[in-house]
Amino acid sequence: MPELTVSEQILNARPDSFIKEQIRQLLVQQFNQSYKSETLNGQVGFCFYFNYALIISSNKNDEIYSYQQLAYELMLPDSFLQSLYSHSHLVPSYWHTWIKESHLDLIRKELSQSLNFNRLKVKYNFNENQFYWDWGSNKKITLRMNNSFVFDGII
């Protein structure tokens, strides 16, 4: 039996109070289980799954005001992965072969798995409006994420 999905028409057609309450509870549950970072406006929660991330934002009144689902391919674009070339001294040694042979998909997969298994710790820099993800490996790697939740640099 194929896996069931929900039609967007159902969700767009002003769901009744029962459905709204279920959606509300799911968002609160996901936010409470997420890895959170303080921002100027409140908090941002990051939930990482196999091939996408769920990003949930709350304001200072502890009210969720937005959420979005992002595929790792969008969070880790080729332009970011190519920035690894200029920082190759920071990355694990086995990445050097991947970089040399342009296997960006393997690097993207490893970064995605690190996000998925919470091997990265997030900090938010208020002055720059940027997230910084510290990856404690054999060498310290810090990944910079912009306010559109796209990784845009490596330090």
Side-chain angles (χ1 to χ4, degrees):
M1 183 166 158
E3 184 178 330
L4 287 173
T5 61
V6 176
S7 168
E8 289 296 318
Q9 290 176 328
I10 292 174
L11 297 176
N12 292 336
R14 294 187 173 198
D16 64 24
S17 59
F18 173 77
I19 294 174
K20 285 182 181 178
E21 184 58 31
Q22 296 304 308
I23 293 170
R24 187 178 293 116
Q25 286 179 15
L26 282 171
L27 282 173
V28 169
Q29 177 187 21
Q30 290 294 304
F31 185 77
N32 289 337
Q33 294 174 354
S34 69
Y35 191 85
K36 291 178 262 317
S37 182
E38 295 283 333
T39 66
L40 290 171
N41 301 326
Q43 289 185 320
V44 175
F46 297 90
C47 299
F48 297 103
Y49 300 100
F50 182 70
N51 55 4
Y52 68 91
L54 182 63
I55 299 161
I56 306 170
S57 302
S58 75
N59 58 26
K60 294 192 186 245
N61 298 327
D62 294 326
E63 177 183 65
I64 293 172
Y65 66 87
S66 74
Y67 68 95
Q68 68 184 108
Q69 179 179 323
L70 278 176
Y72 292 131
E73 289 77 21
L74 298 176
M75 294 177 74
L76 301 164
D78 288 346
S79 58
F80 165 70
L81 295 174
Q82 290 165 356
S83 73
L84 293 172
Y85 288 108
S86 60
H87 297 90
S88 62
H89 61 286
L90 294 173
V91 301
S93 58
Y94 57 91
W95 283 21
H96 294 201
T97 305
W98 293 349
I99 290 172
K100 190 185 303 179
E101 296 175 2
S102 297
H103 289 302
L104 298 180
D105 52 333
L106 294 174
I107 296 171
R108 183 183 281 125
K109 182 177 179 182
E110 179 152 339
L111 287 171
S112 300
Q113 288 176 344
S114 296
L115 291 166
N116 191 27
F117 295 111
N118 292 322
R119 287 186 221 136
L120 295 162
K121 302 298 178 200
V122 66
K123 293 181 290 190
Y124 179 74
N125 184 314
F126 292 100
N127 298 328
E128 300 174 1
N129 196 23
Q130 297 274 319
F131 293 93
Y132 290 90
W133 297 81
D134 291 332
W135 190 359
S137 63
N138 54 346
K139 297 179 182 177
K140 187 160 171 72
I141 302 171
T142 301
L143 310 176
R144 185 178 64 223
M145 176 188 274
N146 63 28
N147 56 4
S148 298
F149 308 114
V150 174
F151 288 94
D152 65 358
I154 183 169
I155 303 167

